[in-house]
Amino acid sequence: MEKHRIAVTRTIAQPAIERLHNVGKITIWTERQPPAHIQLMQMVKDCDGLLCLLTDCIDAHLLESAPRLSVISTMSVGYEHIDLEACRRRGIQVGHTPGVLTDSTADFTMAMILSVARRIPQAVEYARSGLWSTWDPGLLLGHDLLGMTIGIVGMGRIGEAVAERITAFGTNLVYHDRIQRTDVENKLNAKIVAFDDLLTQADIVTLHVPLTDQTHHLISYPQLKMMKPSALLINTSRGKVVDTEALLHALQNREIDAAGLDVTDPEPLPANHPLYELPNCLITPHIASAGAATRTKMAHMAVDNLLAGLKGVPLPYPVI
Ligand code: DGY
């Protein structure tokens, strides 16, 4: 029987790859940078299955070049890089990796909140640079979490996991979501509020929404103006949820106090971008889910989806 042909767009956990070797002939893109669109088209043209990442643009044009493709499995929870309509038209199954990265991402969000609130990157830099000459009661003062109001935008799996963690610091919780979460309200004493009210009330606004037409630039000039001048903005969701120019302006003019961004627009943020110059902006390279065990689990889930699709059975973690 002819073996399946499978394209994998980056090196992922080896045990997950081994599972694919048993069923098909695999082509793996082993370079550190993702394949260019044209290279990706070349890779998938004879393939039955594609295991991709969020850096691969899977559009209608690419699908046209891959007539045999029956399953696309992305090793990410987000799937805004895949043209779902085009996949539907072609009857291609699409899978993703939800749930598995919730804790890792929530842990990282907490790390970012604490780092920004307590100015840890500046403190590290200060000590390293030799400026530390005495204990100083006014040195590097940050924000105490105790008593703060935290505004969680998007009370899905990750929003809830952040809520669980941050209430242990003695904070008050408000959230905004299309769906009221009475379970979270009862468990954590959280209060649902209108989006504008969240912006005006919160000391820390943390974003946990997927990127959609509705959430694109959810935070722009008017929203930043509504926030308290002492507020912190944390984004571990998608870069395009925040208008980068508006944020730069707000940070430069101290319209808000500081920001922590694990995701940016554009991504990667070019090395000469002015946001890097700002001491009140902490930027990390989209690593919120980068726990070693989490990434291995994500790879296995992506393979589970791919194998199911190749067999023609429903995917265990389907998008469509
Ligand atoms: C995802 O999976 O969508 C994250 O952004 C990367 O871990």
Side-chain angles (χ1 to χ4, degrees):
M1 197 181 100
E2 202 196 345
K3 277 195 147 192
H4 294 297
R5 296 198 199 151
I6 300 163
V8 180
T9 64
R10 223 75 63 76
T11 306
I12 60 169
Q14 194 54 32
I17 292 286
E18 290 307 325
R19 294 171 60 208
L20 291 177
H21 277 301
N22 301 333
V23 298
K25 183 170 174 307
I26 315 177
T27 309
I28 304 180
W29 183 264
T30 51
E31 290 181 32
R32 228 182 123 240
Q33 292 303 317
H37 202 244
I38 183 94
Q39 292 166 315
L40 192 52
M41 283 169 75
Q42 194 59 30
M43 268 182 94
V44 295
K45 71 180 180 10
D46 297 319
C47 283
D48 308 289
L50 168 64
L51 196 157
C52 65
L53 305 186
L54 52 82
T55 43
D56 304 311
C57 170
I58 313 297
D59 57 12
H61 189 45
L62 182 123
L63 297 184
E64 273 163 30
S65 71
R68 294 169 55 127
L69 206 58
S70 63
V71 56
I72 297 173
S73 171
T74 182
M75 194 184 114
S76 60
V77 63
Y79 46 79
E80 69 281 351
H81 52 296
I82 303 175
D83 183 339
L84 294 184
E85 256 332 293
C87 291
R88 262 194 206 101
R89 284 198 296 274
R90 276 276 308 277
I92 296 175
Q93 298 203 79
V94 178
H96 66 148
T97 60
V100 67
L101 45 71
T102 300
D103 289 314
S104 194
T105 305
D107 289 350
F108 188 86
T109 304
M110 283 308 307
M112 190 157 244
I113 288 174
L114 289 165
S115 299
V116 174
R118 298 303 302 274
R119 306 178 63 190
I120 290 175
Q122 292 105 302
V124 170
E125 200 37 53
Y126 182 88
R128 181 179 287 147
S129 67
L131 288 169
W132 186 15
S133 58
T134 180
W135 188 87
D136 174 347
L139 180 64
L140 288 160
L141 300 182
H143 300 266
D144 291 311
L145 258 57
L146 183 69
M148 270 193 164
T149 296
I150 312 301
I152 299 193
V153 182
M155 192 53 91
R157 279 181 289 251
I158 298 174
E160 180 178 351
V162 171
E164 277 167 351
R165 285 159 174 74
I166 206 155
T167 42
F169 288 80
T171 55
N172 309 309
L173 270 189
V174 294
Y175 75 99
H176 179 75
D177 201 297
R178 285 173 303 132
I179 300 167
Q180 182 162 13
R181 295 289 309 274
T182 42
D183 54 336
V184 178
E185 291 177 15
N186 295 335
K187 183 172 59 173
L188 300 172
N189 201 18
K191 194 168 141 224
I192 191 163
V193 290
F195 183 51
D196 289 359
D197 291 338
L198 181 145
L199 295 174
T200 54
Q201 287 172 24
D203 298 300
I204 300 179
V205 174
T206 180
L207 305 174
H208 302 287
V209 288
L211 178 64
T212 63
D213 290 345
Q214 289 71 42
T215 61
H216 183 266
H217 286 191
L218 187 66
I219 301 287
S220 188
Y221 291 96
Q223 292 72 31
L224 289 158
K225 275 226 169 315
M226 272 183 239
M227 289 171 64
K228 297 179 184 179
S230 57
L232 312 178
L233 176 70
I234 304 295
N235 190 10
T236 57
S237 63
R238 283 292 183 265
K240 288 184 197 302
V241 174
V242 176
D243 178 344
T244 305
E245 282 311 307
L247 178 63
L248 177 65
H249 182 271
L251 289 171
Q252 280 171 334
N253 294 292
R254 289 283 175 172
E255 287 171 6
I256 65 169
D257 189 44
L261 310 173
D262 183 49
V263 287
T264 58
D265 178 30
E267 196 169 305
L269 199 67
N272 60 356
H273 197 281
L275 271 181
Y276 289 118
E277 303 294 320
L278 302 180
N280 55 343
C281 188
L282 169 61
I283 299 168
T284 51
H286 201 152
I287 54 161
S289 72
T294 298
R295 286 285 165 84
T296 299
K297 284 187 210 152
M298 286 169 78
H300 278 295
M301 278 173 88
V303 167
D304 292 343
N305 276 330
L306 198 80
L307 293 178
L310 292 173
K311 266 197 215 143
V313 301
L315 309 191
Y317 316 105
V319 176
I320 55 169

